[in-house]
């Protein structure tokens, strides 16, 4: 093997431009695959972090009737906040939210909306709820930028909301948009308005009641409580993992094509090499190699393209990947319209495992692709190979 | 006499399938060679000389008969055993040199020693010695495309001789060389034959080579026509 590596290295360097063309194409594949995988890991990390910071904190207790995808459950999904949580709430480690289905009437149009009551002094989530802690002659409310765009509302606008109280009776009041916030998590802002919890509890006659209890990360014993379902951070971010997994599969088709093109180049080179170097193959055999050893030599030569490519990638790839990790990749279109937790600028995250596994994967594929045409050597007649007579 | 033979060929026949018919390249050949011979298989194209050389070099196998090289029966050797025989005991020189084009002269001559897994110091000593024999010590870093045909063939001789094989098989070694280079090459080989007692076996129809041979075996249509010892 040592001799094969030595010979393969000499043969590759001796082949000059042909070698470097393959190496550059393959190195491009390395860098693109690592970058794209890094983007996905970075997106996964960013989506989970943003979701935790803006929506779910360290985890949540949901009222057992609550289904975020079915607004008709909202009227039933509220209950008294268990006394066992009083201390956590007093400490600010647990924040109750009440969710009520309602309508909003911007410029006289009616649109369905979820009205969320939240403590203005909370700091478990990044929502700018302190803006709700104000005195005006309407209910103070905050909404996300995309919701504001859809409803054609801006900061300082007054509009009307309507809701049902605990007894099913309709009531309405005027709200004032005191602030707009920007957030990468669509579920936090899409079709939602946030008003002070105490106000909503009073409006609906649901004193001291909540739909969701959000706790601060690493600050709660995750105990089981009757009528409330514990949702850990992992449970609530599982859908992000699944979404990223789906996107990763789609993306792997792209780099599969890229890898295929590189492998075609290697395969072509190997086929051409075996055809053009018949005399050399015959000479190796005449000088004491077995055909299997010659196959090994050609396979090592092919595999060595990927090793050289990894080295070449390191030269320009490391600075590029580091620069990308710093400045990120800004999406050319508005990410808020994608309907998923996605920042406008994605920052790739690379791990040693990601880099090593990518390199090993490409080396393995290259080795297999190099071996495949080399098997032809096993059927070569050395006396004909020596004269370069095989067609 | 037979006890000292390094090659013993008994009733060797080699048949190649040619479409639906067969072509008999060697027909019932019986021969023996002693250590230190400077012999040649002489004949026109298609007479079977290269086929016989290939079988003696364990690159091909007999259809019938037996060929024993240094006690090894060629027909019974596995691919690995045959490779080991070539690696350790045999040297090859080809008509078109068959040098590794992207390797330097030094690396070309080094190749058989790499296969023998000799250490770098010993390899270097042996390579320089072999290049000294053929007068190419000033070309160690050149690559074959930078050399003349005569120089390339001298590199091939150095490569064949570097491991001091028992026997060198040379297939038309002067076919691509002019007269001056041919004589130079042949004198080098003759000198190595005399100094190292290496057996040289040629396949040739070149008069220049024939004149140097001490034993001339004429082949016609796969059969031995004449086997002549020449007293120079």
């Amino acid at each position: 093997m040592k001799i094969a590596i030595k010979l393969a290295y000499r043969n590759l360097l001796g082949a000059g431009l042909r070698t470097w063309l393959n190496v550059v194409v393959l190195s491009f594949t390395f860098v693109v695959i690592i970058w794209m995988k890094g983007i996905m890991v970075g997106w996964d990390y960013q989506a989970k972090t943003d979701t935790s910071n803006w929506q779910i904190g360290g985890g949540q207790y949901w009222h057992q009737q609550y289904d975020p995808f079915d607004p008709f459950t909202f009227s039933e999904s509220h209950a008294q906040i268990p006394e066992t949580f009083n201390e956590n709430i007093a400490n600010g480690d647990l924040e109750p939210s009440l969710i009520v289905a309602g309508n909003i009437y911007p410029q006289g149009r009616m649109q369905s909306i979820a009205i969320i009551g939240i403590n203005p002094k909370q700091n478990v989530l990044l929502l700018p709820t302190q803006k709700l802690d104000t005195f005006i002659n309407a209910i103070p409310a905050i909404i996300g930028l995309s919701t504001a765009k859809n409803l054609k509302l801006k900061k300082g606008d007054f509009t009307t909301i309507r809701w049902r109280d605990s007894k099913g009776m309709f009531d309405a009041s005027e709200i004032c948009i005191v602030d707009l916030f920007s957030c990468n998590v669509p579920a936090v802002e899409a079709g939602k308005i946030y008003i002070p919890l105490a106000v909503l509890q009073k409006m609906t006659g649901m004193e001291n009641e909540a739909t969701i209890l959000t706790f601060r990360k690493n600050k709660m014993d995750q105990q089981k409580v009757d009528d409330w379902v514990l949702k850990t951070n992992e449970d609530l971010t599982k859908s992000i993992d699944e979404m990223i997994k789906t996107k990763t599969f789609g993306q792997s088709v792209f780099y599969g094509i890229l890898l295929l093109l590189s492998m075609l180049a290697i395969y072509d080179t190997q086929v051409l090499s075996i055809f053009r170097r018949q005399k050399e193959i015959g000479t190796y055999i005449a000088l004491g190699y077995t055909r299997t050893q010659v196959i090994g030599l050609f396979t090592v030569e092919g595999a060595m393209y990927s090793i050289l490519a990894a080295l070449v990638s390191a030269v320009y790839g490391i600075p590029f990947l580091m620069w990308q990790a710093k400045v990120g990749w800004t999406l050319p279109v508005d990410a808020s319209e994608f309907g998923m937790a996605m920042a406008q600028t994605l920052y790739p995250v690379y791990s040693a495992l990601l880099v090593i596994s990518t390199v090993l994967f490409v080396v393995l594929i290259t080795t297999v692709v190099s071996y495949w045409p080399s098997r032809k050597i096993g059927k070569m007649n050395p006396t004909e190979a020596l004269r370069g007579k095989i067609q | 006499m037979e006890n000292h033979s390094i090659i013993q060929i008994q009733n060797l026949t080699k048949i190649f399938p040619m479409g639906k018919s067969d072509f008999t390249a060697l027909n019932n050949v019986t021969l023996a060679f002693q250590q230190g011979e400077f012999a040649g298989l002489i004949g026109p194209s298609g007479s079977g000389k290269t086929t016989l050389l290939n079988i003696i070099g364990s690159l091909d196998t007999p259809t019938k008969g037996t060929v024993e090289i240094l006690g090894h029966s060629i027909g019974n050797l596995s691919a690995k055993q045959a490779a080991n025989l070539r690696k350790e005991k045999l040297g090859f020189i080809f008509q078109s040199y068959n040098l590794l084009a992207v390797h330097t002269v030094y690396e070309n001559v080094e190749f058989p020693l790499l296969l023998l897994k000799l250490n770098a110091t010993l390899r270097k000593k042996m390579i320089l010695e072999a290049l000294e024999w053929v007068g190419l010590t000033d070309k160690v870093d050149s690559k074959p495309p930078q050399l003349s045909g005569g120089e390339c063939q001298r590199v091939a001789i150095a490569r064949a001789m570097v491991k001091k094989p028992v026997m060198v098989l040379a297939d038309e070694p002067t076919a691509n060389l002019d007269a001056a280079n041919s004589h130079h090459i042949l004198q080098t080989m003759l000198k190595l034959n005399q100094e190292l007692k290496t057996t040289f076996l040629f396949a040739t129809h070149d008069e220049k080579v024939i004149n140097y041979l001490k034993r001339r075996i004429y082949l016609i249509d796969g059969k031995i026509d004449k086997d002549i010892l020449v007293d120079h």
Side-chain angles (χ1 to χ4, degrees), chain B:
Chain B
M1 184 175 170
E2 281 191 0
N3 290 339
H4 300 104
S5 300
I6 56 170
I7 303 171
Q8 285 192 22
I9 301 166
Q10 291 286 332
N11 307 116
L12 169 64
T13 299
K14 179 70 184 179
I15 299 168
F16 291 107
M18 299 275 282
K20 287 180 182 175
S21 60
D22 287 336
F23 170 71
T24 304
L26 293 169
N27 191 354
N28 207 26
V29 172
T30 297
L31 269 175
F33 293 93
Q34 314 301 314
Q35 175 74 46
E37 284 203 50
F38 201 77
L41 304 167
I42 303 158
S45 292
S47 59
K49 54 189 189 301
T50 298
T51 303
L52 182 54
L53 209 65
N54 285 336
I55 293 172
I56 292 170
S58 73
L59 291 169
D60 209 343
T61 50
T63 308
K64 284 182 206 162
T66 58
V67 178
E68 275 201 14
I69 312 293
L70 302 162
H72 301 278
S73 174
I74 294 296
N76 298 330
L77 292 178
S78 66
K80 193 167 182 182
Q81 286 168 328
N84 280 337
L85 176 68
R86 293 192 295 272
K87 182 167 71 180
E88 290 163 9
K89 309 286 185 191
L90 305 179
F92 288 87
I93 298 169
F94 306 100
Q95 177 181 338
S96 50
Y97 329 127
N98 288 39
L99 298 177
L100 306 174
V102 298
H103 295 214
T104 63
V105 165
Y106 186 94
E107 290 164 349
N108 266 285
V109 180
E110 187 185 28
F111 184 76
L113 304 180
L114 282 175
L115 295 185
L116 291 172
K117 296 180 180 160
L118 301 179
N119 68 57
T121 317
L122 184 57
R123 285 204 307 268
K124 188 174 180 183
K125 184 174 169 279
M126 293 170 80
I127 294 162
L128 293 178
E129 189 184 18
L131 290 173
E132 181 88 46
W133 294 334
V134 295
L136 282 176
T137 44
D138 57 334
K139 301 278 185 186
V140 283
D141 294 323
S142 303
K143 290 187 176 177
Q146 299 164 322
L147 303 176
S148 68
E151 286 172 330
C152 281
Q153 198 59 298
R154 278 148 67 194
V155 176
I157 294 169
R159 183 178 66 183
M161 288 302 299
V162 69
K163 62 189 174 190
K164 295 181 181 159
V166 176
M167 180 167 51
V168 171
L169 304 170
D171 189 4
E172 307 275 13
T174 56
N176 291 337
L177 301 179
D178 56 30
N181 268 313
S182 297
H183 286 298
H184 189 182
I185 296 293
L186 287 161
Q187 279 161 6
T188 305
M189 289 196 270
L190 192 58
K191 193 177 101 186
L192 291 169
N193 167 254
Q194 285 162 353
E195 288 177 6
L196 302 173
K197 300 293 172 214
T198 306
T199 306
F200 278 80
L201 182 57
F202 297 83
T204 187
H205 59 264
D206 183 348
E207 281 301 323
K208 297 187 289 291
V209 179
I210 295 167
N211 289 336
Y212 277 85
L213 299 175
K214 293 174 185 170
R215 182 179 173 192
R216 299 170 191 170
I217 300 155
Y218 290 87
L219 288 169
I220 295 176
D221 294 335
K223 288 182 179 172
I224 295 173
D225 183 48
K226 285 182 278 183
D227 186 348
I228 304 165
L229 286 172
V230 181
D231 190 12
H232 284 281

Side-chain angles (χ1 to χ4, degrees), chain A residues 194-206:
Chain A
Y194 295 82
I195 65 171
L197 175 65
V199 173
L200 184 60
Q201 286 173 332
K202 196 173 172 190
M203 281 158 54
T204 53
M206 299 176 192

Side-chain angles (χ1 to χ4, degrees), chain A residues 298-315:
Chain A
F298 274 71
T299 306
V300 170
E301 262 187 51
M304 209 170 263
Y305 282 117
S306 55
I307 308 282
L308 288 176
L311 296 174
V312 169
S313 321
V315 173

Side-chain angles (χ1 to χ4, degrees), chain A residues 34-160:
Chain A
I34 292 172
W35 177 76
M36 289 178 83
K37 281 186 162 184
I39 287 281
M40 295 313 264
V41 175
W43 178 18
D44 191 37
Y45 176 78
Q46 165 262 317
K48 281 180 177 172
T49 306
D50 283 350
T51 303
S52 295
N53 289 341
W54 284 86
Q55 189 187 5
I56 60 172
Q60 293 179 323
Y61 285 98
W62 287 5
H63 183 269
Q64 59 184 355
Q65 300 289 331
Y66 175 61
D67 178 356
F69 301 108
D70 182 3
F72 293 107
T73 63
F74 294 176
S75 59
E76 303 299 324
S77 52
H78 54 87
Q80 288 287 315
I81 299 166
E83 286 180 7
T84 178
F85 291 137
N86 285 349
E87 195 183 331
N88 300 108
I89 293 171
N91 291 342
D93 291 334
L94 186 75
E95 290 297 343
S97 313
L98 182 62
I99 303 173
V100 173
N103 299 108
I104 191 165
Y105 296 87
Q107 296 94 36
R109 292 172 288 112
M110 186 182 81
Q111 289 202 15
S112 296
I113 203 156
I115 306 164
I116 300 173
I118 189 164
N119 177 11
K121 291 187 169 59
Q122 70 81 29
N123 57 11
V124 171
L125 303 175
L126 287 179
L127 283 165
T129 51
Q130 69 281 3
K131 301 280 185 176
L132 298 172
D133 196 9
T134 183
F135 291 102
I136 44 171
N137 54 354
I139 299 167
I142 55 171
I143 55 174
L145 279 172
S146 66
T147 306
K149 191 178 163 191
N150 289 339
L151 297 174
K152 294 188 172 56
L153 287 172
K154 57 186 187 300
K155 192 174 168 181
D157 279 356
F158 285 83
T159 188
T160 304

Side-chain angles (χ1 to χ4, degrees), chain A residues 297-350:
Chain A
L297 172 65
F298 274 71
T299 306
V300 170
E301 262 187 51
M304 209 170 263
Y305 282 117
S306 55
I307 308 282
L308 288 176
L311 296 174
V312 169
S313 321
V315 173
Y316 72 91
I318 290 175
F320 169 75
L321 295 172
M322 283 173 69
W323 171 72
Q324 271 291 293
K326 196 176 169 190
V327 303
W329 175 51
T330 304
L331 298 172
V333 288
D334 188 3
S336 65
E337 292 182 3
F338 290 172
M340 48 187 141
M342 189 177 208
Q344 191 63 38
T345 300
L346 296 175
Y347 293 88
V349 174
Y350 320 106

